Amino acid sequence: NAGVTQTPKFRVLKTGQSMTLLCAQDMNHEYMYWYRQDPGMGLRLIHYSVGEGTTAKGEVPDGYNVSRLKKQNFLLGLESAAPSQTSVYFCASRERGSSEAFFGQGTRLTVV
Amino acid sequence: AQSVTQPDIHITVSEGASLELRCNYSYGATPYLFWYVQSPGQGLQLLLKYFSGDTLVQGIKGFEAEFKRSQSSFNLRKPSVHWSDAAEYFCAVMGAGGTSYGKLTFGQGTILTVHP
């Protein structure tokens, strides 16, 4: 039972490069989330999805795009990476209704 | 817009002492409330949750939290802290309806240090 899997776990990018972070869940969950975690800032919601084919903006969406083409996958894209996007990124998923969210182990991204 | 505030960035307690971590939320109605714990380099683990009913909820590892609607608070407590409780704790609110339904927002986190 893999739960929520994030790929890759670590990445170093140069300013201006693009990349996609993949989040995959095998629990058939409806909802999926992308957060970034920075010291003293807690987890800030970037984008989320309430179902396949739908996405919504969170608190800090600028500079990121997402797609949910398949129910089990939620992709986070950085079109032109900036040093301010250096962070640890967490993906989470949850079932519809009043249930807890399950988190991946995080992706540490450094933009130089 | 919904939001969560954890007033204490860092708390230090002695092992065996009692603990209370504060959480205040902003939401137009009664939200769903959660407490998560994160050990260094790890993801987040759910401690407990509140949806409705009894305002005192019990969680794992001996933690409990009390929902107080009048104070918009959901404080986490533990009667006797163990060294293994040292971690970062996050309070979270999830919209229970309207345009915020399903939106899960976290506080800034409280780092707990336990002295032997």
Side-chain angles (χ1 to χ4, degrees):
Chain A
N1 184 3
V4 179
T5 303
Q6 293 182 228
T7 309
K9 290 182 172 50
F10 302 93
R11 185 72 184 269
V12 178
L13 284 180
K14 292 183 179 179
T15 298
Q17 286 185 317
S18 63
M19 78 161 294
T20 300
L21 280 66
L22 171 64
C23 177
Q25 51 97 1
D26 61 1
M27 297 172 282
N28 200 37
H29 285 170
E30 292 291 335
Y31 294 79
M32 297 188 75
Y33 306 83
W34 273 110
Y35 295 89
R36 59 177 291 173
Q37 183 176 26
D38 304 289
M41 306 289 285
L43 278 82
R44 291 181 291 170
L45 182 63
I46 304 172
H47 287 280
Y48 64 108
S49 169
V50 300
E52 181 179 326
T54 71
T55 63
K57 293 181 179 180
E59 305 163 83
V60 289
D62 294 342
Y64 305 94
N65 56 74
V66 289
S67 64
R68 184 99 181 269
L69 299 179
K70 294 183 179 181
K71 186 177 184 180
Q72 64 267 35
N73 295 335
F74 195 30
L75 279 63
L76 178 70
L78 288 74
E79 290 188 350
S80 180
S84 60
Q85 295 177 304
T86 293
S87 187
V88 180
Y89 291 85
F90 284 98
C91 175
S93 73
R94 54 175 284 271
E95 184 51 88
R96 185 184 298 277
S98 56
S99 64
E100 70 179 276
F102 293 85
F103 283 80
Q105 289 302 299
T107 296
R108 184 172 296 276
L109 175 67
T110 301
V111 183
V112 297
Chain B
Q2 66 193 57
S3 66
V4 179
T5 301
Q6 294 179 243
D8 305 305
I9 297 173
H10 195 168
I11 283 184
T12 299
V13 299
S14 298
E15 191 169 16
S18 63
L19 172 70
E20 182 169 30
L21 302 183
R22 296 183 291 164
C23 171
N24 293 99
Y25 68 89
S26 174
Y27 185 69
T30 299
Y32 300 148
L33 295 162
F34 307 83
W35 274 99
Y36 283 83
V37 61
Q38 184 183 33
S39 298
Q42 301 297 313
L44 278 74
Q45 179 185 20
L46 180 72
L47 284 176
L48 47 78
K49 58 187 177 184
Y50 172 79
F51 297 136
S52 64
D54 193 348
T55 57
L56 184 62
V57 294
Q58 303 296 321
I60 63 171
K61 304 183 180 184
F63 285 93
E64 67 177 27
E66 186 172 12
F67 170 60
K68 292 186 177 180
R69 185 192 309 274
S70 61
Q71 299 176 17
S72 298
S73 69
F74 188 56
N75 294 349
L76 182 71
R77 301 194 293 251
K78 186 170 185 178
S80 178
V81 171
H82 187 262
W83 64 266
S84 60
D85 292 325
E88 189 163 14
Y89 292 79
F90 292 94
C91 182
V93 59
M94 186 169 71
T99 57
S100 295
Y101 184 75
K103 184 178 181 182
L104 181 61
T105 303
F106 284 81
Q108 300 92 326
T110 298
I111 297 171
L112 174 65
T113 298
V114 181
H115 281 167

